Amino acid sequence: MKFFWILILLMMSAVAHAQQHALFKDADLNTGEKLIAENQCNECHIRRVGGNGSAIYKPKGRINTAGALRGMVEYCNTELNLGFFPEDTTAVAAVLNKRHYKFR
């Protein structure tokens, strides 16, 4: 019975991972989460748009592809001099995609 539940969890994990856009296929979501927290991304978004900061993810037409999302994360990286490596930028974008955009 224990094996059955482990198998179910592995299958669910594979399905969740498969739902990400191909651009984020190999992204490390844990790294993305860590970088978002360390660089206080949510706090910056709150300062920019108010409320809980989530309104920054709503502008229709502005971020309408996975590539545009990754590009916006790279823009933040450059403008704020965060020092992300390319794989870090992809990891952060993958987390945002999973949470907000859901590009497949």
Side-chain angles (χ1 to χ4, degrees), residues 83-95:
F84 289 178
F85 291 107
E87 60 271 16
D88 296 336
T89 299
T90 300
V92 169
V95 170

Side-chain angles (χ1 to χ4, degrees), residues 28-40 92 95:
D28 184 340
L29 295 175
N30 290 331
T31 296
E33 293 280 0
K34 180 179 152 200
L35 289 168
I36 288 169
E38 286 176 357
N39 290 284
Q40 301 178 338
V92 169
V95 170

Side-chain angles (χ1 to χ4, degrees), residues 4 9-10 12 16 26-27 41 45 50 52-53 58-60 67 82 88 95 98-99 102:
F4 173 76
L9 288 172
L10 287 172
M12 288 173 55
D26 296 323
C41 297
H45 293 173
N52 67 2
K58 305 284 190 246
K60 294 294 180 194
L82 299 176
D88 296 336
V95 170
K98 185 177 177 186
R99 285 185 192 168
K102 316 238 186 285

Side-chain angles (χ1 to χ4, degrees), residues 2-47:
K2 186 177 181 180
F3 176 75
F4 173 76
W5 290 111
I6 292 171
L7 183 61
I8 294 295
L9 288 172
L10 287 172
M11 288 172 52
M12 288 173 55
S13 174
V15 168
H17 187 70
Q19 291 176 350
Q20 278 274 34
H21 188 276
L23 181 63
F24 308 127
K25 182 181 75 120
D26 296 323
D28 184 340
L29 295 175
N30 290 331
T31 296
E33 293 280 0
K34 180 179 152 200
L35 289 168
I36 288 169
E38 286 176 357
N39 290 284
Q40 301 178 338
C41 297
N42 293 331
E43 290 80 356
C44 181
H45 293 173
I46 289 168
R47 285 191 305 272

